Amino acid sequence: MSLHPEYQAKARAEIDRIVGPDRLPSVDDRGTNKMPYLEAVVLEAMRYMSRDPAYYTNASDFNPERFLIVDEKASSVRFNKATLDPCEYVFGFGRRICPGLDMTVQELWIAMAFVLWAFEIKKKGEENWDTDEERFTFAFTSQTKPFECEFIPRSDKVKELINSAYSAIPHVRGR
């Protein structure tokens, strides 16, 4: 998200509209009818494992909007069924499909919702990350190259809510 502040801002605006500043996001906030942009960000994060141009236009670009169709006249957003859902291949398929698919996607969603609700993520340093060669190692197993970014709390209220939630965890209370 540090490389794409424009997508970060759109997802955060949606989160702010649904969750607001006075409580933490919860799984009850999830839903394509509630936060379609955040759902698209989660799908794009999973899709980024496959940058196959046979299935995705501009496959090396991070673009959650590829999963959405915006109807400006009706002020609505719906999912683009023509775009391959990464859940169709990221978790396997058939008899070998991951039984934790739904739980994992939900965990990804709540993690993204929380991080974007709580922090602004900024790129740190002057490194150039414009191409796949600059972002990834390409070997038997590819991985992201090390990079630096900053997680900046969005407000003192956010810090307060996080500390309150953390201290409410039973194993932390006794410290």
Side-chain angles (χ1 to χ4, degrees):
M1 295 308 297
S2 64
L3 297 178
H4 305 285
E6 68 280 13
Y7 300 134
Q8 185 180 161
K10 286 182 180 182
R12 184 176 298 110
E14 188 177 73
I15 293 165
D16 287 347
R17 184 174 45 79
I18 299 298
V19 177
D22 298 323
R23 67 175 179 87
L24 301 172
S26 77
V27 292
D28 293 334
D29 299 316
R30 186 171 182 219
T32 56
N33 59 333
K34 295 179 183 176
M35 290 199 238
Y37 202 86
L38 185 57
E39 293 284 341
V41 169
V42 171
L43 290 173
E44 183 66 356
M46 289 188 294
R47 184 221 52 97
Y48 209 62
M49 295 172 69
S50 168
R51 294 180 306 281
D52 188 339
Y55 296 101
Y56 301 103
T57 306
N58 300 323
S60 288
D61 295 345
F62 184 89
N63 180 11
E65 294 170 0
R66 74 178 74 241
F67 293 101
L68 302 173
I69 298 173
V70 178
D71 183 346
E72 304 258 340
K73 290 180 185 175
S75 296
S76 67
V77 176
R78 67 183 195 282
F79 279 84
N80 184 354
K81 300 284 187 197
T83 303
L84 178 62
D85 183 337
C87 290
E88 298 290 323
Y89 58 85
V90 169
F91 297 99
F93 40 87
R95 290 174 18 153
R96 304 255 186 236
I97 195 164
C98 175
L101 181 155
D102 293 328
M103 183 178 73
T104 302
V105 173
Q106 183 161 297
E107 287 177 4
L108 278 171
W109 185 91
I110 195 65
M112 284 191 185
F114 180 80
V115 168
L116 291 173
W117 173 84
F119 301 100
E120 183 176 351
I121 308 166
K122 289 190 171 188
K123 182 179 171 187
K124 196 173 182 182
E126 299 299 319
E127 299 165 63
N128 190 8
W129 282 68
D130 294 335
T131 66
D132 284 350
E133 289 74 22
E134 293 163 338
R135 290 183 227 150
F136 301 99
T137 62
F138 292 99
F140 183 70
T141 58
S142 297
Q143 57 188 349
T144 306
K145 290 181 180 177
F147 66 95
E148 289 188 26
C149 65
E150 295 180 279
F151 284 71
I152 302 163
R154 293 180 62 206
S155 69
D156 287 336
K157 175 87 173 182
V158 164
K159 288 190 233 179
E160 207 175 284
L161 285 168
I162 292 170
N163 287 333
S164 175
Y166 182 73
S167 64
I169 300 171
H171 74 277
V172 175
R173 270 189 258 159
R175 288 186 186 175

